[in-house]
Amino acid sequence: MSSRKKNILKVIILGDSGVGKTSLMHRYVNDKYSQQYKATIGADFLTKEVNIDSDKVATMQVWDTAGQERFQSLGVAFYRGADCCVLVYDVTNTKSFQNIKSWRDEFLVHANVSTPETFPFVLLGNKIDADDSKKVVSNKAAQELAASLGNIPVFFTSAKTAINVDTAFQEIARSALQQNQNDADAFEDDFNDAINIQLDNDTNSCSC
């Protein structure tokens, strides 16, 4: 009998409209890429079974959320229960890079995570297949931002050519699994504390 434990991991992808969130999700889950762009309304998700560190199996739910302002309020309802948040910017779009911290802050406000200071984020600089003349965000700037956000991992990806996509999502899966286990351990500790408190109360209230 296999000793590998299955886990369900919820991953949220955030970033401005047009940075390639949907394309990254489809490239990772289905290994497909489309040149046609269609804005996400609210949120959508795909699932993929992943092997982590050779001894763990997880089903990853990758949630793609709307980047357009008029749809953002629809997406926040899906933040809760996330195990990892992926922040995506377009290396050819300065504004999308400047908005990363705002996306992170919004997630923390709406996701109601128990330990915001340790919650796992991963930063992706997408569209590195673009001509160098079009790239406006340097790798150094991205690494400095990642350091300022708590030394979070950063990857430079291309949904179009699949560069670093699998590598990035392996780290995302690893981070999500760790968070998932931390939450489970915290729940178990809280549950045991509650049981012990109840037992103490029952013992102290005994009139025999």
Side-chain angles (χ1 to χ4, degrees):
M1 181 168 61
S2 173
S3 61
R4 298 193 300 179
K5 180 183 176 182
K6 276 197 173 185
N7 299 272
I8 297 177
L9 308 176
K10 184 176 182 180
V11 173
I12 306 291
I13 305 180
L14 298 180
D16 283 6
S17 179
V19 297
K21 301 184 300 295
T22 303
S23 295
L24 283 166
M25 180 176 75
H26 281 279
R27 170 59 77 183
Y28 174 63
V29 176
N30 300 319
D31 196 23
K32 292 181 179 179
Y33 176 80
S34 174
Q35 293 276 35
Q36 294 182 328
Y37 173 71
K38 182 180 180 182
T40 301
I41 299 175
D44 190 16
F45 77 93
L46 296 175
T47 62
K48 181 172 182 174
E49 189 167 282
V50 294
N51 292 293
I52 306 168
D53 298 332
S54 75
D55 63 339
K56 303 177 185 71
V57 177
T59 298
M60 191 189 302
Q61 293 181 348
V62 185
W63 287 79
D64 170 30
T65 58
Q68 293 183 329
E69 288 185 5
R70 66 182 185 275
F71 297 137
Q72 283 176 22
S73 62
L74 300 174
V76 296
F78 300 97
Y79 293 0
R80 291 174 183 260
D83 296 303
C84 182
C85 180
V86 184
L87 304 169
V88 185
Y89 70 93
D90 175 352
V91 298
T92 69
N93 184 326
T94 302
K95 185 179 179 182
S96 71
F97 179 71
Q98 294 171 338
N99 288 340
I100 286 294
K101 188 175 185 301
S102 295
W103 281 108
R104 172 184 174 273
D105 293 345
E106 180 186 276
F107 173 84
L108 290 175
V109 167
H110 295 287
N112 194 30
V113 298
S114 56
T115 52
E117 64 279 0
T118 59
F119 187 86
F121 289 88
V122 177
L123 179 63
L124 302 187
N126 195 38
K127 303 188 183 181
I128 61 167
D129 57 278
D131 292 339
D132 288 343
S133 61
K134 295 181 180 179
K135 296 176 183 176
V136 293
V137 182
S138 69
N139 289 5
K140 181 180 178 182
Q143 289 161 348
E144 290 174 349
L145 175 62
S148 73
L149 297 178
N151 290 315
I152 66 175
V154 56
F155 295 89
F156 305 104
T157 62
S158 168
K160 183 177 182 179
T161 62
I163 297 173
N164 277 342
V165 174
D166 282 348
T167 302
F169 273 92
Q170 271 294 311
E171 177 60 32
I172 291 163
R174 195 174 292 112
S175 298
L177 179 62
Q178 184 62 54
Q179 178 67 19
N180 183 280
Q181 292 175 339
N182 289 346
D183 284 346
D185 291 343
F187 176 82
E188 184 175 355
D189 289 343
D190 290 344
F191 179 79
N192 288 336
D193 288 345
I195 292 295
N196 290 332
I197 290 171
Q198 184 62 47
L199 289 174
D200 288 343
N201 290 339
D202 291 345
T203 299
N204 293 334
S205 64
C206 179
S207 59
C208 53

